[in-house]
Amino acid sequence: MPPSGKERKSAPAVTATGHISDLPDQTLHHVLSFLPVQVAAQTCVLARRWRHLWKSTTGLRIVGLQVQDLRKFMNHLLVLRGRTHLDTVEIKFDRYDDDDDDDDDVRYVNLWTRFAVMWKVRVLTLHILIGNIVSQHLVTLDLHSVALPKAFLDFARCPQLVNLKIDDCFINVNKISSCSLKHLSITGCRSDLDFRVRVSAPGLVSLELEDFIGITPLLEDMALLEAACVNLSDRCKDVCLNYDSGVFCGAKDNTCKNCVPISDNCSSDCVLLGGISRAKHLKLISEIGKGPNHEVEMKGHRDQIMKWK
C-alpha cells in the first residue's frame, strides 16, 4: 500500500490523439494498399469514415489460394472502386491453372491486369502467367516463378519501363527487348531452348545475371552500362566439356562443342563480354574454375577488360 498522506496518481485519460483514424486519408490509402484486397475492403465496418477509404487505395494486393476464390469479389471491386491511379499492384495465387481449356483463371487474371494498366499502375508484380502488357505508365515490373512466352518480353509498348526483375522464371523466348530499360535483374531462371536468349537493352545502366540454367544469354552492346554482376553457375550449359580432364579449351579451338572461338575485337561471337565490356564496375563469378567459387572483380573500361580476357 502507498504511504499515508500521498494520493495515488490516476492513469491518464484515453484520448483519440495518435489514433490511426486521425491520420489523413492519403496516408490511410497508402497503409491499406499493403493489405490483401479482401482484407482492405473489410475495414469499411470499422467506422463511418472508413466506409469508402478502401475504394481509393494506392495499391492492390490480389492474393489468395486460387483465382476462383476471388472472382466474385473482384467483379464487385472493379465496379465499386474509385478511378484513382494506382502506384502498385501484386497478383499472386498459391494455385493457378493455365493449361485447362475449361478453366477461366487466365481470362480473369488478364482482365484484372488490364484494369490495373487502365488505372495507370507504375509498379506491377506478377507471380502468375498473363498476356502481353501494354502500358504508357508502367515503370517497374517484377516477374516471379512464371513461364514467359515469346510475346511477353518485347516491351516496345511500355516506353516508361525502367526496372525489370525476372526471378525463378522459365524463359521461353529468343529475345528480351526494351529501349527504355535502365536496370535488369535475371536470377534463378532457366531456358530449355537450343539457342541463346538475346538481351537487347541499349540504355541499361545496371545488370544482374545470376544462376541461369541453360545456354548463357547473349548480351548485346550496352554502351551506358555502369555496373554488371554475372554469376555463372555450375548448371550453365556453356561449361567446357573437357574440364573434367583438367584442361579448359577456352576459346582457342573447336575441340569442344561448348567452346566457341572468340575474335580479338570481342565481336558478335562473344556472348558476355561483348555486351558488358563498357561497364565501369564489373563482377564476374564462376563456380567452375579455381576453387568452388572463383570471383573476378574489375573496375575500368573496355581496354582493361579486353586485356584481362
PDB file of all heavy atoms in Angstrom, residues 64-99:
ATOM      1  N   GLY A  64      -4.304 -14.881 -52.939  1.00  0.00           N
ATOM      2  CA  GLY A  64      -5.204 -15.857 -52.343  1.00  0.00           C
ATOM      3  C   GLY A  64      -4.789 -17.271 -52.658  1.00  0.00           C
ATOM      4  O   GLY A  64      -3.725 -17.516 -53.245  1.00  0.00           O
ATOM      5  N   LEU A  65      -5.628 -18.214 -52.274  1.00  0.00           N
ATOM      6  CA  LEU A  65      -5.340 -19.627 -52.506  1.00  0.00           C
ATOM      7  C   LEU A  65      -5.472 -19.973 -53.973  1.00  0.00           C
ATOM      8  O   LEU A  65      -4.601 -20.604 -54.566  1.00  0.00           O
ATOM      9  CB  LEU A  65      -6.269 -20.491 -51.654  1.00  0.00           C
ATOM     10  CG  LEU A  65      -6.044 -22.007 -51.733  1.00  0.00           C
ATOM     11  CD1 LEU A  65      -4.644 -22.364 -51.260  1.00  0.00           C
ATOM     12  CD2 LEU A  65      -7.093 -22.751 -50.907  1.00  0.00           C
ATOM     13  N   GLN A  66      -6.569 -19.550 -54.591  1.00  0.00           N
ATOM     14  CA  GLN A  66      -6.774 -19.797 -56.011  1.00  0.00           C
ATOM     15  C   GLN A  66      -7.656 -18.707 -56.599  1.00  0.00           C
ATOM     16  O   GLN A  66      -8.381 -18.005 -55.884  1.00  0.00           O
ATOM     17  CB  GLN A  66      -7.385 -21.177 -56.257  1.00  0.00           C
ATOM     18  CG  GLN A  66      -8.634 -21.476 -55.475  1.00  0.00           C
ATOM     19  CD  GLN A  66      -9.051 -22.922 -55.611  1.00  0.00           C
ATOM     20  OE1 GLN A  66      -8.494 -23.669 -56.421  1.00  0.00           O
ATOM     21  NE2 GLN A  66     -10.039 -23.339 -54.862  1.00  0.00           N
ATOM     22  N   VAL A  67      -7.616 -18.559 -57.920  1.00  0.00           N
ATOM     23  CA  VAL A  67      -8.288 -17.465 -58.601  1.00  0.00           C
ATOM     24  C   VAL A  67      -9.791 -17.493 -58.359  1.00  0.00           C
ATOM     25  O   VAL A  67     -10.415 -16.450 -58.122  1.00  0.00           O
ATOM     26  CB  VAL A  67      -7.983 -17.505 -60.109  1.00  0.00           C
ATOM     27  CG1 VAL A  67      -8.778 -16.426 -60.857  1.00  0.00           C
ATOM     28  CG2 VAL A  67      -6.490 -17.336 -60.362  1.00  0.00           C
ATOM     29  N   GLN A  68     -10.400 -18.668 -58.436  1.00  0.00           N
ATOM     30  CA  GLN A  68     -11.855 -18.744 -58.342  1.00  0.00           C
ATOM     31  C   GLN A  68     -12.386 -18.257 -56.995  1.00  0.00           C
ATOM     32  O   GLN A  68     -13.540 -17.846 -56.887  1.00  0.00           O
ATOM     33  CB  GLN A  68     -12.342 -20.166 -58.607  1.00  0.00           C
ATOM     34  CG  GLN A  68     -11.866 -21.194 -57.599  1.00  0.00           C
ATOM     35  CD  GLN A  68     -12.350 -22.589 -57.959  1.00  0.00           C
ATOM     36  OE1 GLN A  68     -12.815 -22.825 -59.068  1.00  0.00           O
ATOM     37  NE2 GLN A  68     -12.235 -23.508 -57.029  1.00  0.00           N
ATOM     38  N   ASP A  69     -11.524 -18.246 -55.974  1.00  0.00           N
ATOM     39  CA  ASP A  69     -11.952 -17.743 -54.664  1.00  0.00           C
ATOM     40  C   ASP A  69     -12.220 -16.246 -54.689  1.00  0.00           C
ATOM     41  O   ASP A  69     -12.968 -15.737 -53.835  1.00  0.00           O
ATOM     42  CB  ASP A  69     -10.893 -18.055 -53.604  1.00  0.00           C
ATOM     43  CG  ASP A  69     -10.740 -19.547 -53.348  1.00  0.00           C
ATOM     44  OD1 ASP A  69     -11.703 -20.284 -53.640  1.00  0.00           O
ATOM     45  OD2 ASP A  69      -9.665 -19.967 -52.882  1.00  0.00           O
ATOM     46  N   LEU A  70     -11.603 -15.541 -55.627  1.00  0.00           N
ATOM     47  CA  LEU A  70     -11.719 -14.086 -55.654  1.00  0.00           C
ATOM     48  C   LEU A  70     -12.507 -13.554 -56.849  1.00  0.00           C
ATOM     49  O   LEU A  70     -12.633 -12.339 -57.001  1.00  0.00           O
ATOM     50  CB  LEU A  70     -10.320 -13.446 -55.663  1.00  0.00           C
ATOM     51  CG  LEU A  70      -9.610 -13.305 -54.319  1.00  0.00           C
ATOM     52  CD1 LEU A  70      -8.257 -12.627 -54.506  1.00  0.00           C
ATOM     53  CD2 LEU A  70     -10.447 -12.496 -53.349  1.00  0.00           C
ATOM     54  N   ARG A  71     -13.023 -14.428 -57.689  1.00  0.00           N
ATOM     55  CA  ARG A  71     -13.697 -13.956 -58.902  1.00  0.00           C
ATOM     56  C   ARG A  71     -14.873 -13.032 -58.586  1.00  0.00           C
ATOM     57  O   ARG A  71     -14.965 -11.910 -59.114  1.00  0.00           O
ATOM     58  CB  ARG A  71     -14.192 -15.147 -59.723  1.00  0.00           C
ATOM     59  CG  ARG A  71     -13.082 -15.943 -60.379  1.00  0.00           C
ATOM     60  CD  ARG A  71     -13.667 -17.125 -61.138  1.00  0.00           C
ATOM     61  NE  ARG A  71     -12.622 -17.991 -61.655  1.00  0.00           N
ATOM     62  CZ  ARG A  71     -12.862 -19.136 -62.293  1.00  0.00           C
ATOM     63  NH1 ARG A  71     -14.119 -19.537 -62.467  1.00  0.00           N
ATOM     64  NH2 ARG A  71     -11.852 -19.865 -62.729  1.00  0.00           N
ATOM     65  N   LYS A  72     -15.790 -13.473 -57.739  1.00  0.00           N
ATOM     66  CA  LYS A  72     -16.978 -12.688 -57.417  1.00  0.00           C
ATOM     67  C   LYS A  72     -16.593 -11.390 -56.716  1.00  0.00           C
ATOM     68  O   LYS A  72     -17.122 -10.316 -57.032  1.00  0.00           O
ATOM     69  CB  LYS A  72     -17.929 -13.506 -56.548  1.00  0.00           C
ATOM     70  CG  LYS A  72     -19.251 -12.817 -56.273  1.00  0.00           C
ATOM     71  CD  LYS A  72     -20.188 -13.731 -55.489  1.00  0.00           C
ATOM     72  CE  LYS A  72     -21.524 -13.048 -55.220  1.00  0.00           C
ATOM     73  NZ  LYS A  72     -22.452 -13.945 -54.477  1.00  0.00           N
ATOM     74  N   PHE A  73     -15.673 -11.479 -55.778  1.00  0.00           N
ATOM     75  CA  PHE A  73     -15.242 -10.284 -55.053  1.00  0.00           C
ATOM     76  C   PHE A  73     -14.619  -9.266 -56.001  1.00  0.00           C
ATOM     77  O   PHE A  73     -14.925  -8.065 -55.937  1.00  0.00           O
ATOM     78  CB  PHE A  73     -14.233 -10.668 -53.967  1.00  0.00           C
ATOM     79  CG  PHE A  73     -13.609  -9.494 -53.286  1.00  0.00           C
ATOM     80  CD1 PHE A  73     -14.259  -8.849 -52.248  1.00  0.00           C
ATOM     81  CD2 PHE A  73     -12.369  -9.012 -53.702  1.00  0.00           C
ATOM     82  CE1 PHE A  73     -13.686  -7.744 -51.621  1.00  0.00           C
ATOM     83  CE2 PHE A  73     -11.791  -7.911 -53.089  1.00  0.00           C
ATOM     84  CZ  PHE A  73     -12.450  -7.280 -52.047  1.00  0.00           C
ATOM     85  N   MET A  74     -13.726  -9.721 -56.897  1.00  0.00           N
ATOM     86  CA  MET A  74     -13.052  -8.799 -57.799  1.00  0.00           C
ATOM     87  C   MET A  74     -14.022  -8.176 -58.792  1.00  0.00           C
ATOM     88  O   MET A  74     -13.851  -7.007 -59.179  1.00  0.00           O
ATOM     89  CB  MET A  74     -11.922  -9.530 -58.546  1.00  0.00           C
ATOM     90  CG  MET A  74     -10.712  -9.833 -57.684  1.00  0.00           C
ATOM     91  SD  MET A  74      -9.923  -8.349 -57.010  1.00  0.00           S
ATOM     92  CE  MET A  74      -9.485  -7.475 -58.514  1.00  0.00           C
ATOM     93  N   ASN A  75     -15.059  -8.909 -59.196  1.00  0.00           N
ATOM     94  CA  ASN A  75     -16.071  -8.336 -60.090  1.00  0.00           C
ATOM     95  C   ASN A  75     -16.744  -7.135 -59.432  1.00  0.00           C
ATOM     96  O   ASN A  75     -17.002  -6.114 -60.081  1.00  0.00           O
ATOM     97  CB  ASN A  75     -17.105  -9.386 -60.465  1.00  0.00           C
ATOM     98  CG  ASN A  75     -16.556 -10.410 -61.447  1.00  0.00           C
ATOM     99  OD1 ASN A  75     -15.554 -10.171 -62.116  1.00  0.00           O
ATOM    100  ND2 ASN A  75     -17.207 -11.552 -61.545  1.00  0.00           N
ATOM    101  N   HIS A  76     -17.034  -7.247 -58.143  1.00  0.00           N
ATOM    102  CA  HIS A  76     -17.637  -6.135 -57.414  1.00  0.00           C
ATOM    103  C   HIS A  76     -16.624  -5.006 -57.207  1.00  0.00           C
ATOM    104  O   HIS A  76     -16.968  -3.822 -57.306  1.00  0.00           O
ATOM    105  CB  HIS A  76     -18.175  -6.609 -56.056  1.00  0.00           C
ATOM    106  CG  HIS A  76     -19.438  -7.399 -56.154  1.00  0.00           C
ATOM    107  ND1 HIS A  76     -19.442  -8.765 -56.352  1.00  0.00           N
ATOM    108  CD2 HIS A  76     -20.744  -7.014 -56.096  1.00  0.00           C
ATOM    109  CE1 HIS A  76     -20.684  -9.198 -56.395  1.00  0.00           C
ATOM    110  NE2 HIS A  76     -21.503  -8.157 -56.249  1.00  0.00           N
ATOM    111  N   LEU A  77     -15.388  -5.351 -56.911  1.00  0.00           N
ATOM    112  CA  LEU A  77     -14.378  -4.328 -56.669  1.00  0.00           C
ATOM    113  C   LEU A  77     -14.158  -3.470 -57.906  1.00  0.00           C
ATOM    114  O   LEU A  77     -14.022  -2.249 -57.813  1.00  0.00           O
ATOM    115  CB  LEU A  77     -13.069  -4.982 -56.233  1.00  0.00           C
ATOM    116  CG  LEU A  77     -11.909  -4.025 -55.925  1.00  0.00           C
ATOM    117  CD1 LEU A  77     -11.129  -4.505 -54.712  1.00  0.00           C
ATOM    118  CD2 LEU A  77     -10.958  -3.893 -57.111  1.00  0.00           C
ATOM    119  N   LEU A  78     -14.111  -4.101 -59.077  1.00  0.00           N
ATOM    120  CA  LEU A  78     -13.867  -3.352 -60.303  1.00  0.00           C
ATOM    121  C   LEU A  78     -14.977  -2.357 -60.575  1.00  0.00           C
ATOM    122  O   LEU A  78     -14.754  -1.321 -61.223  1.00  0.00           O
ATOM    123  CB  LEU A  78     -13.726  -4.330 -61.484  1.00  0.00           C
ATOM    124  CG  LEU A  78     -12.522  -5.280 -61.419  1.00  0.00           C
ATOM    125  CD1 LEU A  78     -12.500  -6.193 -62.626  1.00  0.00           C
ATOM    126  CD2 LEU A  78     -11.218  -4.527 -61.290  1.00  0.00           C
ATOM    127  N   VAL A  79     -16.182  -2.640 -60.084  1.00  0.00           N
ATOM    128  CA  VAL A  79     -17.314  -1.730 -60.271  1.00  0.00           C
ATOM    129  C   VAL A  79     -17.314  -0.625 -59.221  1.00  0.00           C
ATOM    130  O   VAL A  79     -17.575   0.554 -59.523  1.00  0.00           O
ATOM    131  CB  VAL A  79     -18.644  -2.511 -60.212  1.00  0.00           C
ATOM    132  CG1 VAL A  79     -19.832  -1.548 -60.250  1.00  0.00           C
ATOM    133  CG2 VAL A  79     -18.732  -3.494 -61.367  1.00  0.00           C
ATOM    134  N   LEU A  80     -16.987  -0.993 -57.979  1.00  0.00           N
ATOM    135  CA  LEU A  80     -17.120  -0.056 -56.861  1.00  0.00           C
ATOM    136  C   LEU A  80     -15.898   0.819 -56.648  1.00  0.00           C
ATOM    137  O   LEU A  80     -16.011   1.916 -56.095  1.00  0.00           O
ATOM    138  CB  LEU A  80     -17.415  -0.828 -55.566  1.00  0.00           C
ATOM    139  CG  LEU A  80     -18.733  -1.604 -55.529  1.00  0.00           C
ATOM    140  CD1 LEU A  80     -18.827  -2.413 -54.249  1.00  0.00           C
ATOM    141  CD2 LEU A  80     -19.917  -0.653 -55.656  1.00  0.00           C
ATOM    142  N   ARG A  81     -14.726   0.328 -57.044  1.00  0.00           N
ATOM    143  CA  ARG A  81     -13.506   1.074 -56.742  1.00  0.00           C
ATOM    144  C   ARG A  81     -13.475   2.409 -57.470  1.00  0.00           C
ATOM    145  O   ARG A  81     -13.912   2.541 -58.607  1.00  0.00           O
ATOM    146  CB  ARG A  81     -12.269   0.261 -57.144  1.00  0.00           C
ATOM    147  CG  ARG A  81     -10.976   0.912 -56.677  1.00  0.00           C
ATOM    148  CD  ARG A  81      -9.745   0.184 -57.181  1.00  0.00           C
ATOM    149  NE  ARG A  81      -8.553   0.805 -56.637  1.00  0.00           N
ATOM    150  CZ  ARG A  81      -7.988   1.906 -57.135  1.00  0.00           C
ATOM    151  NH1 ARG A  81      -8.499   2.461 -58.215  1.00  0.00           N
ATOM    152  NH2 ARG A  81      -6.919   2.430 -56.570  1.00  0.00           N
ATOM    153  N   GLY A  82     -12.923   3.417 -56.808  1.00  0.00           N
ATOM    154  CA  GLY A  82     -12.757   4.719 -57.427  1.00  0.00           C
ATOM    155  C   GLY A  82     -11.754   4.658 -58.564  1.00  0.00           C
ATOM    156  O   GLY A  82     -10.972   3.715 -58.689  1.00  0.00           O
ATOM    157  N   ARG A  83     -11.768   5.665 -59.392  1.00  0.00           N
ATOM    158  CA  ARG A  83     -10.899   5.683 -60.569  1.00  0.00           C
ATOM    159  C   ARG A  83      -9.561   6.370 -60.289  1.00  0.00           C
ATOM    160  O   ARG A  83      -8.945   6.946 -61.178  1.00  0.00           O
ATOM    161  CB  ARG A  83     -11.617   6.356 -61.736  1.00  0.00           C
ATOM    162  CG  ARG A  83     -12.837   5.588 -62.208  1.00  0.00           C
ATOM    163  CD  ARG A  83     -12.438   4.199 -62.676  1.00  0.00           C
ATOM    164  NE  ARG A  83     -13.576   3.418 -63.134  1.00  0.00           N
ATOM    165  CZ  ARG A  83     -14.192   2.509 -62.416  1.00  0.00           C
ATOM    166  NH1 ARG A  83     -13.779   2.271 -61.165  1.00  0.00           N
ATOM    167  NH2 ARG A  83     -15.198   1.820 -62.887  1.00  0.00           N
ATOM    168  N   THR A  84      -9.112   6.333 -59.050  1.00  0.00           N
ATOM    169  CA  THR A  84      -7.814   6.895 -58.707  1.00  0.00           C
ATOM    170  C   THR A  84      -6.689   6.043 -59.288  1.00  0.00           C
ATOM    171  O   THR A  84      -6.835   4.823 -59.439  1.00  0.00           O
ATOM    172  CB  THR A  84      -7.646   6.982 -57.182  1.00  0.00           C
ATOM    173  OG1 THR A  84      -7.861   5.682 -56.613  1.00  0.00           O
ATOM    174  CG2 THR A  84      -8.642   7.969 -56.588  1.00  0.00           C
ATOM    175  N   HIS A  85      -5.578   6.677 -59.571  1.00  0.00           N
ATOM    176  CA  HIS A  85      -4.436   5.968 -60.139  1.00  0.00           C
ATOM    177  C   HIS A  85      -3.804   5.044 -59.095  1.00  0.00           C
ATOM    178  O   HIS A  85      -3.888   5.285 -57.892  1.00  0.00           O
ATOM    179  CB  HIS A  85      -3.397   6.959 -60.656  1.00  0.00           C
ATOM    180  CG  HIS A  85      -3.894   7.780 -61.801  1.00  0.00           C
ATOM    181  ND1 HIS A  85      -3.189   8.841 -62.313  1.00  0.00           N
ATOM    182  CD2 HIS A  85      -5.039   7.704 -62.532  1.00  0.00           C
ATOM    183  CE1 HIS A  85      -3.859   9.388 -63.307  1.00  0.00           C
ATOM    184  NE2 HIS A  85      -4.986   8.716 -63.453  1.00  0.00           N
ATOM    185  N   LEU A  86      -3.135   4.001 -59.584  1.00  0.00           N
ATOM    186  CA  LEU A  86      -2.503   3.022 -58.706  1.00  0.00           C
ATOM    187  C   LEU A  86      -0.982   3.163 -58.757  1.00  0.00           C
ATOM    188  O   LEU A  86      -0.405   3.331 -59.838  1.00  0.00           O
ATOM    189  CB  LEU A  86      -2.894   1.601 -59.108  1.00  0.00           C
ATOM    190  CG  LEU A  86      -4.301   1.141 -58.743  1.00  0.00           C
ATOM    191  CD1 LEU A  86      -4.625  -0.164 -59.457  1.00  0.00           C
ATOM    192  CD2 LEU A  86      -4.437   0.966 -57.236  1.00  0.00           C
ATOM    193  N   ASP A  87      -0.351   3.060 -57.597  1.00  0.00           N
ATOM    194  CA  ASP A  87       1.109   3.010 -57.543  1.00  0.00           C
ATOM    195  C   ASP A  87       1.608   1.581 -57.737  1.00  0.00           C
ATOM    196  O   ASP A  87       2.560   1.341 -58.480  1.00  0.00           O
ATOM    197  CB  ASP A  87       1.619   3.548 -56.194  1.00  0.00           C
ATOM    198  CG  ASP A  87       1.390   5.043 -56.045  1.00  0.00           C
ATOM    199  OD1 ASP A  87       1.369   5.743 -57.073  1.00  0.00           O
ATOM    200  OD2 ASP A  87       1.222   5.503 -54.903  1.00  0.00           O
ATOM    201  N   THR A  88       0.979   0.625 -57.031  1.00  0.00           N
ATOM    202  CA  THR A  88       1.455  -0.760 -57.054  1.00  0.00           C
ATOM    203  C   THR A  88       0.292  -1.738 -57.210  1.00  0.00           C
ATOM    204  O   THR A  88      -0.809  -1.497 -56.712  1.00  0.00           O
ATOM    205  CB  THR A  88       2.200  -1.104 -55.748  1.00  0.00           C
ATOM    206  OG1 THR A  88       1.295  -0.984 -54.634  1.00  0.00           O
ATOM    207  CG2 THR A  88       3.376  -0.171 -55.536  1.00  0.00           C
ATOM    208  N   VAL A  89       0.583  -2.847 -57.874  1.00  0.00           N
ATOM    209  CA  VAL A  89      -0.348  -3.979 -57.969  1.00  0.00           C
ATOM    210  C   VAL A  89       0.466  -5.259 -57.889  1.00  0.00           C
ATOM    211  O   VAL A  89       1.480  -5.400 -58.577  1.00  0.00           O
ATOM    212  CB  VAL A  89      -1.167  -3.959 -59.278  1.00  0.00           C
ATOM    213  CG1 VAL A  89      -1.926  -5.270 -59.461  1.00  0.00           C
ATOM    214  CG2 VAL A  89      -2.156  -2.798 -59.286  1.00  0.00           C
ATOM    215  N   GLU A  90       0.026  -6.182 -57.043  1.00  0.00           N
ATOM    216  CA  GLU A  90       0.644  -7.503 -56.948  1.00  0.00           C
ATOM    217  C   GLU A  90      -0.439  -8.553 -57.160  1.00  0.00           C
ATOM    218  O   GLU A  90      -1.514  -8.475 -56.557  1.00  0.00           O
ATOM    219  CB  GLU A  90       1.293  -7.728 -55.586  1.00  0.00           C
ATOM    220  CG  GLU A  90       1.922  -9.117 -55.446  1.00  0.00           C
ATOM    221  CD  GLU A  90       2.525  -9.365 -54.082  1.00  0.00           C
ATOM    222  OE1 GLU A  90       2.326  -8.516 -53.189  1.00  0.00           O
ATOM    223  OE2 GLU A  90       3.182 -10.404 -53.905  1.00  0.00           O
ATOM    224  N   ILE A  91      -0.163  -9.529 -58.019  1.00  0.00           N
ATOM    225  CA  ILE A  91      -1.109 -10.620 -58.283  1.00  0.00           C
ATOM    226  C   ILE A  91      -0.390 -11.933 -58.007  1.00  0.00           C
ATOM    227  O   ILE A  91       0.600 -12.255 -58.654  1.00  0.00           O
ATOM    228  CB  ILE A  91      -1.626 -10.582 -59.730  1.00  0.00           C
ATOM    229  CG1 ILE A  91      -2.312  -9.242 -60.024  1.00  0.00           C
ATOM    230  CG2 ILE A  91      -2.605 -11.726 -59.977  1.00  0.00           C
ATOM    231  CD1 ILE A  91      -2.831  -9.112 -61.440  1.00  0.00           C
ATOM    232  N   LYS A  92      -0.919 -12.683 -57.037  1.00  0.00           N
ATOM    233  CA  LYS A  92      -0.278 -13.929 -56.635  1.00  0.00           C
ATOM    234  C   LYS A  92      -1.320 -14.904 -56.097  1.00  0.00           C
ATOM    235  O   LYS A  92      -2.151 -14.541 -55.259  1.00  0.00           O
ATOM    236  CB  LYS A  92       0.780 -13.669 -55.562  1.00  0.00           C
ATOM    237  CG  LYS A  92       1.492 -14.913 -55.060  1.00  0.00           C
ATOM    238  CD  LYS A  92       2.505 -14.568 -53.983  1.00  0.00           C
ATOM    239  CE  LYS A  92       3.222 -15.803 -53.473  1.00  0.00           C
ATOM    240  NZ  LYS A  92       4.216 -15.479 -52.417  1.00  0.00           N
ATOM    241  N   PHE A  93      -1.256 -16.156 -56.574  1.00  0.00           N
ATOM    242  CA  PHE A  93      -2.136 -17.214 -56.075  1.00  0.00           C
ATOM    243  C   PHE A  93      -1.322 -18.480 -55.843  1.00  0.00           C
ATOM    244  O   PHE A  93      -0.388 -18.773 -56.586  1.00  0.00           O
ATOM    245  CB  PHE A  93      -3.272 -17.493 -57.073  1.00  0.00           C
ATOM    246  CG  PHE A  93      -4.267 -16.376 -57.175  1.00  0.00           C
ATOM    247  CD1 PHE A  93      -4.126 -15.383 -58.134  1.00  0.00           C
ATOM    248  CD2 PHE A  93      -5.325 -16.300 -56.285  1.00  0.00           C
ATOM    249  CE1 PHE A  93      -5.032 -14.343 -58.213  1.00  0.00           C
ATOM    250  CE2 PHE A  93      -6.240 -15.262 -56.353  1.00  0.00           C
ATOM    251  CZ  PHE A  93      -6.093 -14.277 -57.324  1.00  0.00           C
ATOM    252  N   ASP A  94      -1.703 -19.228 -54.807  1.00  0.00           N
ATOM    253  CA  ASP A  94      -0.997 -20.467 -54.500  1.00  0.00           C
ATOM    254  C   ASP A  94      -1.257 -21.519 -55.577  1.00  0.00           C
ATOM    255  O   ASP A  94      -0.387 -22.326 -55.893  1.00  0.00           O
ATOM    256  CB  ASP A  94      -1.441 -21.013 -53.134  1.00  0.00           C
ATOM    257  CG  ASP A  94      -0.993 -20.114 -51.996  1.00  0.00           C
ATOM    258  OD1 ASP A  94      -0.057 -19.310 -52.213  1.00  0.00           O
ATOM    259  OD2 ASP A  94      -1.574 -20.196 -50.902  1.00  0.00           O
ATOM    260  N   ARG A  95      -2.471 -21.519 -56.136  1.00  0.00           N
ATOM    261  CA  ARG A  95      -2.808 -22.463 -57.209  1.00  0.00           C
ATOM    262  C   ARG A  95      -3.351 -21.678 -58.394  1.00  0.00           C
ATOM    263  O   ARG A  95      -4.255 -20.857 -58.255  1.00  0.00           O
ATOM    264  CB  ARG A  95      -3.847 -23.492 -56.734  1.00  0.00           C
ATOM    265  CG  ARG A  95      -3.317 -24.444 -55.689  1.00  0.00           C
ATOM    266  CD  ARG A  95      -4.136 -25.732 -55.658  1.00  0.00           C
ATOM    267  NE  ARG A  95      -5.519 -25.495 -55.304  1.00  0.00           N
ATOM    268  CZ  ARG A  95      -5.986 -25.524 -54.055  1.00  0.00           C
ATOM    269  NH1 ARG A  95      -5.171 -25.762 -53.052  1.00  0.00           N
ATOM    270  NH2 ARG A  95      -7.259 -25.302 -53.804  1.00  0.00           N
ATOM    271  N   TYR A  96      -2.783 -21.960 -59.561  1.00  0.00           N
ATOM    272  CA  TYR A  96      -3.162 -21.214 -60.762  1.00  0.00           C
ATOM    273  C   TYR A  96      -3.113 -22.168 -61.939  1.00  0.00           C
ATOM    274  O   TYR A  96      -2.101 -22.831 -62.177  1.00  0.00           O
ATOM    275  CB  TYR A  96      -2.203 -20.041 -60.980  1.00  0.00           C
ATOM    276  CG  TYR A  96      -2.474 -19.231 -62.222  1.00  0.00           C
ATOM    277  CD1 TYR A  96      -3.592 -18.421 -62.312  1.00  0.00           C
ATOM    278  CD2 TYR A  96      -1.597 -19.281 -63.296  1.00  0.00           C
ATOM    279  CE1 TYR A  96      -3.828 -17.665 -63.445  1.00  0.00           C
ATOM    280  CE2 TYR A  96      -1.819 -18.525 -64.431  1.00  0.00           C
ATOM    281  CZ  TYR A  96      -2.934 -17.717 -64.499  1.00  0.00           C
ATOM    282  OH  TYR A  96      -3.165 -16.974 -65.622  1.00  0.00           O
ATOM    283  N   ASP A  97      -4.213 -22.265 -62.686  1.00  0.00           N
ATOM    284  CA  ASP A  97      -4.317 -23.217 -63.775  1.00  0.00           C
ATOM    285  C   ASP A  97      -4.332 -22.467 -65.102  1.00  0.00           C
ATOM    286  O   ASP A  97      -5.275 -21.732 -65.398  1.00  0.00           O
ATOM    287  CB  ASP A  97      -5.604 -24.040 -63.636  1.00  0.00           C
ATOM    288  CG  ASP A  97      -5.637 -25.250 -64.564  1.00  0.00           C
ATOM    289  OD1 ASP A  97      -4.805 -25.287 -65.488  1.00  0.00           O
ATOM    290  OD2 ASP A  97      -6.483 -26.133 -64.362  1.00  0.00           O
ATOM    291  N   ASP A  98      -3.269 -22.649 -65.898  1.00  0.00           N
ATOM    292  CA  ASP A  98      -3.234 -22.013 -67.216  1.00  0.00           C
ATOM    293  C   ASP A  98      -3.199 -23.045 -68.341  1.00  0.00           C
ATOM    294  O   ASP A  98      -2.924 -22.708 -69.488  1.00  0.00           O
ATOM    295  CB  ASP A  98      -2.033 -21.083 -67.339  1.00  0.00           C
ATOM    296  CG  ASP A  98      -0.712 -21.809 -67.158  1.00  0.00           C
ATOM    297  OD1 ASP A  98      -0.753 -23.002 -66.803  1.00  0.00           O
ATOM    298  OD2 ASP A  98       0.343 -21.199 -67.381  1.00  0.00           O
ATOM    299  N   ASP A  99      -3.511 -24.300 -68.012  1.00  0.00           N
ATOM    300  CA  ASP A  99      -3.470 -25.365 -69.016  1.00  0.00           C
ATOM    301  C   ASP A  99      -4.850 -25.891 -69.387  1.00  0.00           C
ATOM    302  O   ASP A  99      -5.090 -26.303 -70.525  1.00  0.00           O
ATOM    303  CB  ASP A  99      -2.622 -26.538 -68.498  1.00  0.00           C
ATOM    304  CG  ASP A  99      -1.173 -26.129 -68.312  1.00  0.00           C
ATOM    305  OD1 ASP A  99      -0.691 -25.323 -69.124  1.00  0.00           O
ATOM    306  OD2 ASP A  99      -0.545 -26.610 -67.360  1.00  0.00           O
TER     307      ASP A  99
END
